[in-house]
Amino acid sequence: GAVVSQHPSRVICKSGTSVKIECRSLDFQATTMFWYRQFPKQSLMLMATSNEGSKATYEQGVEKDKFLINHASLTLSTLTVTSAHPEDSSFYICSARGRGGTEAFFGQGTRLTVV
Amino acid sequence: AQSVAQPEDQVNVAEGNPLTVKCTYSVSGNPYLFWYVQYPNRGLQFLLKYITGDNLVKGSYGFEAEFNKSQTSFHLKKPSALVSDSALYFCAVRDLAGGDSWGKLQFGAGTQVVVTP
């Protein structure tokens, strides 16, 4: 299957700082990318969807000014958590789907801890 | 609106025994159905999908799933479970008639599979 690389796998940051998470499709062009948040022992909560070159579409209740998503190219999307707070600590996962593709492929996830 | 239900929080099975993880769905149109597996602190790995065609779908690592339209189910099965199959399993659906051009997936709550030696 297609490979999606997410970096970093773990990050610890101080309250008030910003953190950037990268999601790259390594062997296909990702026309659509999704960002999820997962709480312990819970399902994935979709945060936003982005198409290359377009602004991201955020799910209800997700603050777009806090979770900045950039889908700058067909192989790269970034999620920036701005002014992070301890309640933002979570597991963040990206997924990507190619043009005409039926299934999405997932990154390895990023464990964010805000102290 | 689309939804997915995984009625079991956890399934326990002895190694070598058959494994079944249940999933039912609700969509307004025809569904795309998927199974993913997640190991601790990792992303999701794609196991298999149903798009159209044969109701019995074979996937990775010996898993298969059967699409049952009348029962709106897509249960995941493996004839002989391994200890290494212990993980969190997610069923997901994409509603083709939902008017969602992005093709968003709706995930079930997940089922923890525990395979004991």
Side-chain angles (χ1 to χ4, degrees), chain A residues 2-107:
Chain A
V3 178
V4 175
S5 177
Q6 188 173 339
H7 179 80
S9 58
R10 290 178 177 271
V11 59
I12 300 173
C13 71
K14 292 183 178 180
S15 287
T17 61
S18 295
V19 174
K20 181 183 284 189
I21 302 170
E22 290 189 350
C23 181
R24 294 181 183 272
S25 59
L26 298 186
D27 52 2
F28 69 103
Q29 293 185 328
T31 50
T32 307
M33 283 191 168
F34 305 89
W35 286 95
Y36 297 86
R37 183 172 179 176
Q38 185 181 30
F39 293 99
K41 297 186 178 181
Q42 292 191 26
S43 189
L44 282 71
M45 181 190 80
L46 181 64
M47 299 174 66
T49 304
S50 72
N51 267 8
E52 183 265 341
S54 302
K55 288 185 178 180
T57 300
Y58 289 81
E59 296 299 302
Q60 193 172 6
V62 178
E63 299 176 60
K64 62 180 180 181
D65 293 330
K66 181 166 187 61
F67 298 100
L68 300 179
I69 291 171
N70 187 307
H71 192 162
S73 75
L74 285 171
T75 58
L76 174 64
S77 176
T78 60
L79 167 67
T80 301
V81 183
T82 62
S83 186
H85 291 283
E87 56 265 31
D88 299 325
S89 298
S90 192
F91 193 58
Y92 293 87
I93 307 175
C94 71
S95 74
R97 191 177 66 234
R99 194 185 312 276
T102 52
E103 72 265 32
F105 297 93
F106 285 77

Side-chain angles (χ1 to χ4, degrees), chain B residues 11-71:
Chain B
V11 169
N12 298 299
V13 63
E15 187 173 34
N17 283 359
L19 168 64
T20 298
V21 186
K22 295 180 180 177
C23 171
T24 58
Y25 65 91
S26 175
V27 296
S28 55
N30 290 321
Y32 283 178
L33 292 157
F34 306 85
W35 275 102
Y36 289 88
V37 60
Q38 184 181 33
Y39 294 95
N41 292 308
R42 301 299 300 273
L44 276 64
Q45 294 180 29
F46 170 76
L47 281 179
L48 50 80
K49 65 181 178 183
Y50 171 81
I51 304 299
T52 186
D54 288 342
N55 290 343
L56 183 63
V57 178
K58 293 189 182 296
S60 306
Y61 312 117
F63 284 95
E64 59 187 32
E66 185 165 11
F67 171 64
N68 188 317
K69 188 172 184 177
S70 62
Q71 297 185 5

